Amino acid sequence: MSRPAAVSEPQAGGATDWVVCRACGRLLYAKRLARNLRVCPECGSHHRLTAGQRLEQLLDPGSRVDLGFPVPQGDPLGFVDTKPYPQRLSEARSGTGLEEAVVCVRGAIEGVPLIAAVMDFRFMGGSLGNAVGELIASAAETALSERLPLLIVTASGGARMQEGVIALMQMAKTSQALRELDEAGIPTISLITDPTFGGVAASFATLCDVIVAEPGARLGFAGPRVIEQTTREKLPEGFQTAEFLLRNGMIDLVRRRAELRPAIAHLLAAGTRRPSGRRAVAEPRIVRDPTLVPERDAWEAVQHARDLRRPTTLEYISLMLDGFEELRGDRVSGDCPAIVGGIGRMAGIPLVLIGYQKGHTIAELSARNFGMPVPAGYRKSARLMRLAAKLGLPVVTLVDTPGADPGVKAEQGGQAVAIGENLRLMAGLPVPIVAVVTGEGGSGGALALTVADEVLAFSGAVYSVISPEGCAAILWRDAAAAPRAAEALRIGARHLLELGVADGVIPEPPGGAQSDAAAAAAALRAALVARLEELMSHDIAGLLSRRRARIRAFGRVPA
């Protein structure tokens, strides 16, 4: 399994100093390593940074102001191992020039002000003791009082044993501080560096809104040596690394050190709802009158909606949004590739966008499970919607799916529960929601992201309780009756408008969205911006009342 990257001490070499990368064994010019942000240019290993180096790399020049919190002193247990605890503290202070294992500052990243708490592994392994817990909590309280986002950079071996149960209590203290930021709608970001274990991993490191990690950074509650000794099992390659955690849905992003500043800046810019320049948007065209939507053969409409050339969610995102950062994982069991989502800006409006992702080739479709989510996908979308609610950001969903994954594992993972939870969540989410059926809307799997203040549909989209093939097999007992079933189900855009399931239809370019992705994206963007601006003008109580009345009215018998 991977080990933390490190370099040897510089070796004098005439006018230059050289270091050896312990990850790959290469001899590196020290100044070259420093210019490369202490990332090995040969193997890419991210070597540890001091708190000062980290702040210098992340913050805008000249923006750092130390918060100057008093650092608690004391030896609550009178602890002595090979030397007294006060002596260890004194040696750590002397060796690092720091008062404790975390540095708390006020600063800015690409002009966005924030509070930052940055840990330094050199100070007693970045261990979490009373002083560290107090400083993290004080940083959170400052962020709360000044309504600034909080960035926490972690590097820790766990709780400080020399302080016993007092160190353990810091997990509760810091978790409470983050809860108060949640209640106040203050954004929080955690940057995981190698290593982050124990009490830090099980508290503030993993409780932030967004978790970013450097490549190869390890995160876990128990260390790998403890796990191996306890279970007597060989751990898988890359266990507890950032890449392992990303695949298993525990973190949002893995970014190389050179990419951290812009990635964090994008997240801060959206999460803090800072005003930005309003970009020009075409005049929206949304058809409300069903008679103005051309009639088409139902089976032809199904084939049109399923056309693999139609733009995917990620393509729409690239054409419509600025500064988009995809967020991954449900923080429970995994990351479902059939649903993508994240934070970005559309014509200056910060928002959360979530959508089903298919593909154009067999390889892409297979990698995305043909756009059929498993429970982790619905839980991921729920997590992102809760984040939108905390930050007060509107939600846009793009729907193009045959339906939820019908497999055994999905059922074992609670597919029905995951879908039901989304329906309940969206019914009361206290921010505007606009859903758009961009292609195929299949059954409850599609409905799980389509409970909204306004539902739009592309003119070439379809939306149904079941696929025509499934309906034909059940009711006609003949799969060949699918065209007949499609006609009976009334699933085209015109019928959706007639039935009140869709509130408006977005006309597609000639030949359909698949013929001109840029034109389709422009039409979609114009419609979304218009509807979001109108919905954002409503107070939350009025918004929720209108949404619930809309849902309650489906199929209601007139008085």
Side-chain angles (χ1 to χ4, degrees):
M1 60 175 293
S2 63
R3 299 296 179 194
V7 293
S8 68
E9 292 299 316
Q11 301 173 357
T16 61
D17 290 328
W18 298 83
V19 294
V20 175
C21 175
R22 292 180 185 166
C24 67
R26 301 289 184 89
L27 189 64
L28 306 174
Y29 186 43
K31 290 185 178 178
R32 183 188 181 198
L33 183 66
R35 285 195 302 269
N36 206 41
L37 305 181
R38 293 188 58 78
V39 176
C40 176
E42 302 297 335
C43 70
S45 295
H46 283 54
H47 302 304
R48 287 180 189 148
L49 298 178
T50 66
Q53 290 170 330
R54 180 73 63 181
L55 287 165
E56 183 179 358
Q57 289 182 10
L58 288 177
L59 298 185
D60 295 346
S63 68
R64 173 179 171 174
V65 177
D66 286 22
L67 291 174
F69 298 135
V71 178
Q73 307 292 328
D75 178 12
L77 306 183
F79 195 95
V80 179
D81 44 68
T82 57
K83 60 184 70 172
Y85 177 43
Q87 183 181 340
R88 287 195 180 278
L89 286 173
S90 178
E91 291 173 355
R93 288 171 181 145
S94 174
T96 63
L98 302 176
E99 282 295 302
E100 254 297 343
V102 65
V103 176
C104 301
V105 307
R106 181 184 290 104
I109 297 179
E110 296 192 4
V112 183
L114 78 163
I115 301 298
V118 180
M119 301 189 74
D120 196 314
F121 193 78
R122 297 175 303 154
F123 196 106
M124 296 189 67
S127 50
L128 174 62
N130 179 52
V132 170
E134 187 66 23
L135 292 169
I136 294 285
S138 297
E141 289 163 358
T142 302
L144 179 63
S145 65
E146 299 183 13
R147 299 202 65 79
L148 291 177
L150 175 66
L151 170 66
I152 304 177
V153 183
T154 64
S156 176
R160 190 168 295 177
M161 292 177 287
Q162 292 88 345
E163 294 187 16
V165 73
I166 295 299
L168 189 67
M169 294 303 106
Q170 305 312 305
M171 296 170 63
K173 179 195 292 184
T174 55
S175 299
Q176 174 178 279
L178 286 178
R179 171 59 185 262
E180 292 176 6
L181 292 179
D182 288 340
E183 292 169 350
I186 306 296
T188 56
I189 299 174
S190 120
L191 171 55
I192 307 299
T193 73
D194 189 78
T196 297
F197 283 116
V200 169
S203 57
F204 53 87
T206 52
L207 291 179
C208 290
D209 298 321
V210 179
I211 304 176
V212 186
E214 288 190 326
R218 294 168 300 157
L219 168 72
F221 186 54
R225 185 165 53 188
V226 172
I227 295 173
E228 284 184 321
Q229 291 175 349
T230 303
T231 65
R232 301 191 182 280
E233 294 179 1
K234 182 175 176 56
L235 299 179
E237 185 66 27
F239 181 68
Q240 294 182 319
T241 63
E243 295 75 13
F244 174 89
L245 296 163
L246 187 68
R247 289 193 303 271
N248 286 278
M250 301 303 165
I251 64 175
D252 291 287
L253 310 171
V254 177
R255 291 288 183 271
R256 295 180 60 82
R257 197 164 283 167
E259 301 168 335
L260 287 174
R261 260 179 62 83
I264 293 172
H266 288 159
L267 292 167
L268 290 172
T272 50
R273 288 166 280 167
R274 298 174 74 226
S276 65
R278 175 76 158 78
R279 293 181 57 185
V281 177
E283 190 67 25
R285 187 179 173 208
I286 303 174
V287 179
R288 307 285 187 182
D289 183 348
T291 64
L292 299 180
V293 180
E295 289 195 62
R296 68 187 310 168
D297 177 80
W299 185 241
E300 178 186 303
V302 171
Q303 302 310 306
H304 182 90
R306 291 174 177 173
D307 193 319
L308 294 183
R309 297 172 298 161
R310 290 180 74 84
T312 67
T313 290
L314 287 176
E315 287 168 324
Y316 281 124
I317 285 171
S318 70
L319 291 166
M320 297 192 307
L321 268 61
D322 300 313
F324 180 77
E325 286 291 342
E326 184 180 348
L327 305 180
R328 293 183 170 88
D330 66 349
R331 304 263 179 99
V332 176
S333 63
D335 180 58
C336 172
I339 288 183
V340 297
I343 297 178
R345 286 179 177 264
M346 183 185 297
I349 301 173
L351 51 78
V352 168
L353 189 146
I354 307 165
Y356 300 81
Q357 179 67 16
K358 288 183 177 177
H360 300 299
T361 66
I362 292 299
E364 290 174 349
L365 288 164
S366 180
R368 299 287 180 175
N369 199 34
F370 295 84
M372 298 184 296
V374 296
Y378 295 115
R379 288 196 292 262
K380 173 171 67 174
S381 61
R383 183 173 77 82
L384 296 184
M385 287 188 283
R386 291 189 184 98
L387 175 59
K390 171 184 170 176
L391 301 180
L393 304 180
V395 172
V396 169
T397 66
L398 303 183
V399 178
D400 184 14
T401 178
D405 185 292
V408 172
K409 287 186 178 179
E411 291 299 316
Q412 290 174 332
Q415 187 80 288
V417 174
I419 291 172
E421 290 288 351
N422 268 25
L423 302 181
R424 178 168 62 180
L425 173 66
M426 296 182 80
L429 200 72
V431 292
I433 309 172
V434 178
V436 184
V437 185
T438 60
E440 185 179 15
S443 189
L447 180 63
L449 286 184
T450 322
V451 177
D453 298 297
E454 186 143 350
V455 176
L456 305 176
F458 266 126
S459 57
V462 296
Y463 191 11
S464 176
V465 67
I466 190 172
S467 71
E469 295 90 339
C471 178
I474 294 170
L475 298 183
W476 277 268
R477 300 184 183 276
D478 181 4
R484 185 178 175 188
E487 186 65 39
L489 287 167
R490 294 164 59 88
I491 60 180
R494 177 174 177 141
H495 295 307
L496 297 177
L497 203 52
E498 289 173 342
L499 294 168
V501 172
D503 302 293
V505 170
I506 305 170
E508 296 185 16
Q514 55 267 50
S515 69
D516 192 340
L524 175 59
R525 183 169 177 262
L528 286 171
V529 170
R531 299 315 304 139
L532 288 174
E533 288 182 335
E534 195 278 326
L535 291 168
M536 289 165 64
S537 68
H538 294 275
D539 64 85
I540 298 303
L543 191 76
L544 291 178
S545 176
R546 178 179 177 273
R547 186 187 307 161
R548 288 169 176 170
R550 179 186 183 278
I551 296 167
R552 183 66 179 85
F554 289 132
R556 195 170 194 171
V557 178

